[in-house]
Amino acid sequence: MEKREAGPKKRNYESLIGLKFNSLTINSVERIYGKRTIANCSCQCGNAWQGAIEWVISGNTKSCGCQKIESLLRSRFKHGLTKHPLYPRWLGLMKRCYNKNSKSYANYGGRGIKVCDRWLNGTESRHPFLMFLDDMLPVPFDGASIDRIDNNKDYSPENCRWADQFQQSGNRRNVAWVHLPDESMPLAVFCKKFNKHRSTIIRRMKRLGISLTEAATLP
Ligand SMILES: [Zn+2]
């Protein structure tokens, strides 16, 4: 017991309230028994941010995500990872959550949907995109898209899966099939289930770069 309380947990984090670390100002701290101390911060962009206080102090987390996406968009062609076939998927979810200019921001970042620490900030030695791969590889089938299990929760390993894809079936022409993790069904049946028109779903997927299920469940 004593041993567990030694070290960084014993720090007097209350003394940091009111201080600004990069874009984040610490408003309050919460000790959660057996877990990291959580800082409730406000970002200079106006968003609230909550997360591990060590990450704020160390500078691993510099903003609510708004600065991160800006630097990503500025430097998007400057490192080799951008060539990875899954990079656009990761960048896409970052944009939906943190880029106010993104077409789908209103349904994601605007609703408080965030990206987990691992995928947003990574660690000092590991790029967040690589941590996304650590958590989400392998991709079970070609063209699979990232799907959130609970639409009101964040992008995180616990809440994400590779899901649906639809493709023209080889032996039944003009019948598109939807492959969900647990079942497959014709696209028409899927559309009926969500009470959405096929063209609405497909247009959303193309415009917003989101998965079939997400396109079908948006209001
Ligand atoms: Zn911000």
Side-chain angles (χ1 to χ4, degrees), residues 76-88 129:
R76 59 193 294 182
F77 299 115
K78 286 182 191 154
H79 63 80
L81 294 176
T82 59
K83 295 195 179 78
H84 193 285
L86 293 179
Y87 187 82
F129 170 60

Side-chain angles (χ1 to χ4, degrees), residues 55 58-62 68 72 79 81 84 86-87 90 94 116-137:
W55 290 41
S58 68
N60 197 51
T61 301
K62 292 186 172 65
K68 190 83 187 179
L72 275 172
H79 63 80
L81 294 176
H84 193 285
L86 293 179
Y87 187 82
W90 174 76
M94 293 284 289
C116 69
D117 272 343
R118 288 172 61 81
W119 299 358
L120 174 63
N121 293 304
T123 63
E124 228 165 90
S125 56
R126 198 146 179 84
H127 191 280
F129 170 60
L130 293 177
M131 299 194 89
F132 168 75
L133 295 182
D134 291 344
D135 295 332
M136 293 305 289
L137 285 179

Side-chain angles (χ1 to χ4, degrees), residues 16-19 25-29 39-43 49:
L16 302 178
I17 291 172
L19 296 185
T25 302
I26 299 179
N27 297 324
S28 63
V29 295
N40 295 306
C41 303
S42 41
C43 183
W49 182 90

Side-chain angles (χ1 to χ4, degrees), residues 176-178 183-195:
W177 277 77
V178 173
E183 54 179 338
S184 293
M185 66 183 87
L187 179 59
V189 174
F190 179 85
C191 292
K192 210 163 185 184
K193 195 172 145 188
F194 288 98
N195 197 24

Side-chain angles (χ1 to χ4, degrees), residues 65-172:
C66 59
Q67 302 295 314
K68 190 83 187 179
I69 191 74
E70 273 187 23
S71 72
L72 275 172
L73 295 176
R74 272 199 306 270
S75 65
R76 59 193 294 182
F77 299 115
K78 286 182 191 154
H79 63 80
L81 294 176
T82 59
K83 295 195 179 78
H84 193 285
L86 293 179
Y87 187 82
R89 300 301 177 87
W90 174 76
L91 187 64
L93 61 90
M94 293 284 289
K95 282 184 186 172
R96 293 196 280 282
C97 292
Y98 300 112
N99 183 4
K100 288 182 177 166
N101 298 322
S102 160
K103 278 174 280 188
S104 36
Y105 178 83
N107 283 310
Y108 292 83
R111 284 179 55 227
I113 305 299
K114 298 188 276 308
V115 178
C116 69
D117 272 343
R118 288 172 61 81
W119 299 358
L120 174 63
N121 293 304
T123 63
E124 228 165 90
S125 56
R126 198 146 179 84
H127 191 280
F129 170 60
L130 293 177
M131 299 194 89
F132 168 75
L133 295 182
D134 291 344
D135 295 332
M136 293 305 289
L137 285 179
V139 183
F141 44 80
D142 260 9
S145 48
I146 286 277
D147 186 45
R148 281 170 311 138
I149 295 161
D150 182 338
N151 264 343
N152 295 315
K153 290 192 178 153
D154 296 343
Y155 282 101
S156 68
E158 301 76 36
N159 195 38
C160 285
R161 61 184 172 191
W162 291 107
D164 56 56
Q165 170 215 22
F166 66 88
Q167 54 186 192
Q168 294 300 120
S169 155
N171 52 7
R172 290 219 261 160

